[in-house]
DNA sequence: AACTGCAACAACCGCCGTGCG
DNA sequence: GCGCACGGCGGTTGTTGCAGT
């Protein structure tokens, strides 16, 4: 008979949550937990579908959610993790306490992707505001079966990988995709140094150098780590000798 | 002051993986 | 082993606020 629709369209609220709805959801979860998202809205008296409630809680209402701007270290961590994990936002979010996959995804698409594009040496830099050479939503054909394929692609061929390498000042203007592939298969220290410490000679590098000097240490397997004091969290930014495996294993 | 276009972010949609009967 | 229900995930869209003209 097939799966029931995610939310019965009849009589359920959609769109932005009101403060009242937020309050109902929070107080209900505090009292009863969220063992069953589908039943929750009915029990709580919310005219929302379970999915919507879950999303609201996970992305906004959960007490340990960290709001506000991303720090430089967080952004760098996202970029680095994206090289390894691709578009697996939830996996990346798992490495950034207090940040949600949705938030990271948004930051990637708004700030970081743009930032990487701006480092492209061959491409004319877009002026501070009037950029928009590309449409808001990428011209990727909607849905189809490409969702899975795309994420697979992202983690395998990793488009931003290309951006990063061509973004590096030391990289030649024209680098073939084969170069990226070979690099990807052998992520070594030079890659991490390039990606993390050479993206912007003037500002970015110095910031990271400061961070590095202040917080860098070696973990038990010799990986270099950066500590974000604000998040109270160590980023394993320079995986060596199986560091990537450690990182992935920790997911 | 009004209009326009863009950036940022919240929320939705639909598919997938997994647990359970 | 099979099918269903559910949670989770990633891609996409809608809305809003703001900066530039």
């Amino acid at each position: 008979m097939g799966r029931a629709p995610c939310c019965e369209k009849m009589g359920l609220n959609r769109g932005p949550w009101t403060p009242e709805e937020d309050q109902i959801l929070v107080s209900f979860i505090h009292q009863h937990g969220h063992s069953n998202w589908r039943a929750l809205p009915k029990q709580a008296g919310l005219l929302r579908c379970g999915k919507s409630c879950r999303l609201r809680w996970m992305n906004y209402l959960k007490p340990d959610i960290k709001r506000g701007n991303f720090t430089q270290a967080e952004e760098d961590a996202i970029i680095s993790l994206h090289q390894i994990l691709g578009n697996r936002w939830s996996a990346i979010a798992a490495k950034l306490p207090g940040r949600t996959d949705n938030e990271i995804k948004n930051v990637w698409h708004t700030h970081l992707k743009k930032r990487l594009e701006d480092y492209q040496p061959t491409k004319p830099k877009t002026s501070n505001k009037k950029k928009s050479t590309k449409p808001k939503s990428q011209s990727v054909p909607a849905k189809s079966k490409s969702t899975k394929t795309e994420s697979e692609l992202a983690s395998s061929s990793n488009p931003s990988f290309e951006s990063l390498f061509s973004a590096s000042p030391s990289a030649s203007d024209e680098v073939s995709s084969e170069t990226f592939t070979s690099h990807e298969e052998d992520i070594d220290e030079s890659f991490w140094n390039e990606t993390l410490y050479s993206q912007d000679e003037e500002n970015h590098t110095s910031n990271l150098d400061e961070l590095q000097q202040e917080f860098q240490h070696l973990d038990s397997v010799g990986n270099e780590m950066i500590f974000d004091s604000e998040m109270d969290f160590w980023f394993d930014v320079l995986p060596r000798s199986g560091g990537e495996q450690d990182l992935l294993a920790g997911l």
Side-chain angles (χ1 to χ4, degrees):
Chain A
M1 66 183 193
R3 169 183 312 191
C6 149
C7 48
E8 313 81 278
K9 311 289 179 195
M10 300 280 291
L12 291 184
N13 293 340
R14 299 188 52 189
W17 280 65
T18 64
E20 290 76 21
E21 288 177 312
D22 283 344
Q23 192 178 351
I24 292 172
L25 181 59
V26 168
S27 61
F28 182 87
I29 289 178
H30 280 159
Q31 288 175 20
H32 304 96
H34 51 74
S35 57
N36 188 336
W37 284 112
R38 176 156 284 205
L40 187 148
K42 285 191 190 106
Q43 296 167 355
L46 282 166
L47 289 173
R48 293 275 180 174
C49 70
K51 256 188 174 183
S52 183
C53 293
R54 178 190 161 272
L55 203 68
R56 184 65 179 171
W57 173 257
M58 294 295 190
N59 288 337
Y60 205 86
L61 300 174
K62 224 163 62 167
D64 53 344
I65 295 291
K66 197 162 96 182
R67 313 296 307 172
N69 294 335
F70 278 64
T71 64
Q72 182 72 55
E74 282 177 312
E75 292 185 353
D76 294 328
I78 292 170
I79 292 171
S80 303
L81 288 165
H82 188 268
Q83 305 318 305
I84 301 173
L85 301 168
N87 293 0
R88 290 163 58 195
W89 307 115
S90 60
I92 294 173
K95 289 290 173 187
L96 296 172
R99 299 299 188 180
T100 69
D101 56 348
N102 207 33
E103 201 175 8
I104 290 171
K105 188 166 51 182
N106 282 331
V107 166
W108 175 261
H109 284 122
T110 55
H111 297 112
L112 302 183
K113 214 165 74 172
K114 184 177 66 182
R115 190 168 108 193
L116 293 180
E117 283 169 3
D118 284 347
Y119 285 118
Q120 298 264 0
T122 53
K123 292 187 177 160
K125 292 221 171 181
T126 53
S127 61
N128 356 355
K129 197 61 191 171
K130 273 279 161 205
K131 56 179 63 244
S132 167
T133 50
K134 67 183 169 66
K136 194 159 104 180
S137 57
Q138 294 286 49
S139 58
V140 179
K143 292 294 170 209
S144 67
K145 299 301 148 195
S146 69
T147 52
K148 180 60 179 264
T149 328
E150 259 189 65
S151 47
E152 281 171 353
L153 266 176
S155 52
S156 57
S157 67
N158 228 340
S160 59
F161 209 85
E162 181 172 345
S163 311
L164 263 183
F165 268 94
S166 48
S168 165
S170 61
S172 61
D173 285 354
E174 294 294 329
V175 188
S176 71
S177 58
E178 287 80 9
T179 311
F180 306 132
T181 309
S182 60
H183 275 82
E184 180 186 8
E185 287 166 359
D186 182 22
I187 299 175
D188 58 10
E189 184 176 355
S190 63
F191 161 71
W192 291 100
N193 283 326
E194 276 192 60
T195 56
L196 275 179
Y197 303 123
S198 306
Q199 290 176 5
D200 182 338
E201 294 293 320
E202 293 87 14
N203 303 318
H204 187 67
T205 305
S206 57
N207 289 342
L208 281 168
D209 282 345
E210 285 174 19
L211 252 185
Q212 191 180 17
Q213 284 169 11
E214 190 172 358
F215 297 124
Q216 186 172 313
H217 84 153
L218 298 179
D219 69 7
S220 57
V221 292
N223 293 338
E224 290 185 72
M225 312 277 284
I226 281 183
F227 183 73
D228 185 328
S229 56
E230 198 175 318
M231 292 193 300
D232 192 27
F233 186 76
W234 287 98
F235 293 106
D236 188 0
V237 296
L238 297 170
R240 298 180 205 145
S241 61
E244 182 185 359
Q245 284 79 358
D246 292 340
L247 188 62
L248 292 168
L251 299 175

